[in-house]
Amino acid sequence: MTQPLNRRTFLCGATATVATVAGAGVLASMDSSLTETLGDTLEGLLQKQYQRMTPEEIQEALARIERRARRRQGVTIRCVNTPPRNQVTFGFALNLSRCIGARRCVEACFRENNCSEHNQPYIRVISLPKGSWDLTRGDHGFNPATVPEPDRWYLPVQCQQCEDPACVQACPVGATWQEPDGVVVIDYDWCIGCRYCQTACPYWARRFNWREPLVPAARMVSETHYLGNRPRMRGVMEKCTFCLQRTRQGRQPACQEACPTGARIFGNLLDPEGELRYVLEHKTVYRLKEELHTEPKFWYFTDV
């Protein structure tokens, strides 16, 4: 029976031909897992940028990611490609009056997004003296016995999902872009690791994998998204995506669910009946570094 010719069968055939021509006889002695590894590696090298892939090519890429997780990390994951929903633009509002500096959001984000033990979390919580907005006086590594401290207030910062993102403009290869639901994403397979985007971001929201990411198998979240929390590799950027592996399926981001005080409000900016729209229409809201005109979709407010 003749096997249909596609990229995978073509590459496997090409690999075998190379081995024959080389006369080394090496590939002929390979077991099936090694052949699969080589095939996946070759296909990965030829993989298109996500936005230019056909649906069939995306499915092949998802399958490769799942196989690679089994081989490298010994875990079984499901990697999906859930698209943005129509009439949805995600946004966030954070009530600073309720933030107590517990940093449960940081921990939950780190776990949910399969972040490396070698890297910094996507969310920073800055401790500031009460009455001061001078970020140069902020403590990024505060560690008191209890929180909240009587003379401090807390400012969580993460990717602001800007409407006019400087990071996207800085990327020389189109590896990062804004999705229709407003989330700025990265194609990890297309990123060349130049870190121009990291330099351009005024919110220090992007992380670079200087080393091979370390995520213990016991901690790996198995439900992943191609543009979200799937396993990454050394030499690429990553960042908060508003947990699109969850939010595109109608769930809340992990940081929002973990907050013990309800300080975080996530939702659809286009929903006139939503809590997020209520906050934006009835509270005095602020955005970080608004003078830069990046138009963050992340607002801060207080109860005062």
Side-chain angles (χ1 to χ4, degrees):
M1 182 176 179
T2 304
Q3 191 174 14
L5 181 64
N6 55 28
R7 289 180 71 233
R8 182 172 180 75
T9 55
F10 169 77
L11 287 166
C12 287
T15 299
T17 301
V18 169
T20 301
V21 172
V26 175
L27 293 180
S29 63
M30 287 181 176
D31 60 26
S32 58
S33 63
L34 191 55
T35 303
E36 178 183 272
T37 301
L38 182 57
D40 283 351
T41 300
L42 290 171
E43 286 186 341
L45 290 173
L46 298 176
Q47 183 173 308
K48 298 175 186 172
Q49 198 256 23
Y50 172 82
Q51 293 172 299
R52 294 197 287 272
M53 284 195 277
T54 66
E56 292 75 20
E57 289 170 336
I58 289 177
Q59 290 306 311
E60 290 176 0
L62 298 178
R64 280 198 297 277
I65 290 167
E66 293 172 354
R67 288 195 296 268
R68 190 162 56 219
R70 281 197 298 272
R71 287 196 303 269
R72 295 185 177 180
Q73 284 129 322
V75 295
T76 299
I77 66 169
R78 188 170 76 101
C79 191
V80 301
N81 180 45
T82 310
R85 288 180 289 166
N86 292 330
Q87 295 301 306
V88 171
T89 299
F90 289 129
F92 228 123
L94 199 151
N95 187 343
L96 295 172
S97 299
R98 292 191 178 185
C99 183
I100 60 173
R103 290 180 287 196
R104 303 275 178 79
C105 54
V106 178
E107 298 168 6
C109 168
F110 194 80
R111 288 195 303 272
E112 170 65 28
N113 289 287
N114 293 322
C115 293
S116 169
E117 304 284 337
H118 298 318
N119 221 335
Q120 296 293 314
Y122 294 162
I123 302 175
R124 288 174 296 146
V125 179
I126 305 170
S127 170
L128 288 153
K130 275 195 173 173
S132 172
W133 271 88
D134 183 359
L135 297 185
T136 62
R137 299 176 62 192
D139 183 353
H140 295 239
F142 64 100
N143 189 29
T146 59
V147 289
E149 301 158 278
D151 56 345
R152 313 289 291 187
W153 68 281
Y154 305 96
L155 176 67
V157 180
Q158 59 201 78
C159 177
Q160 307 287 292
Q161 309 296 351
C162 302
E163 189 62 27
D164 189 10
C167 55
V168 169
Q169 298 173 29
C171 181
V173 296
T176 184
W177 66 93
Q178 186 178 60
E179 289 275 274
D181 56 9
V183 178
V184 176
V185 298
I186 301 169
D187 184 342
Y188 310 118
D189 286 294
W190 206 250
C191 175
I192 61 174
C194 67
R195 296 185 289 132
Y196 289 176
C197 59
Q198 188 178 38
T199 302
C201 173
Y203 305 103
W204 198 64
R206 289 178 170 245
R207 305 289 180 265
F208 182 68
N209 286 301
W210 290 97
R211 302 163 64 183
E212 190 65 32
L214 172 61
V215 184
R219 186 168 67 77
M220 181 71 75
V221 171
S222 60
E223 294 297 313
T224 70
H225 192 287
Y226 183 92
L227 298 173
N229 62 338
R230 65 162 163 124
R232 279 81 73 187
M233 56 289 271
R234 178 182 179 182
V236 303
M237 300 302 307
E238 57 181 81
K239 60 180 276 299
C240 159
T241 62
F242 279 173
C243 286
L244 55 78
Q245 68 276 4
R246 298 163 62 103
T247 51
R248 285 186 180 175
Q249 300 188 37
R251 300 174 62 193
Q252 292 290 308
C255 59
Q256 191 276 343
E257 283 191 354
C259 180
T261 64
R264 290 173 169 270
I265 299 169
F266 175 83
N268 178 10
L269 289 165
L270 305 183
D271 178 6
E273 304 300 322
E275 186 179 8
L276 180 59
R277 280 285 291 272
Y278 178 87
V279 168
L280 298 184
E281 293 171 4
H282 294 86
K283 298 286 186 180
T284 300
V285 294
Y286 312 88
R287 294 192 288 190
L288 290 180
K289 300 183 179 180
E290 196 151 22
E291 69 278 10
L292 299 180
H293 305 293
T294 56
E295 303 295 333
K297 290 192 286 297
F298 200 111
W299 289 266
Y300 298 90
F301 68 101
T302 67
D303 287 331
V304 178

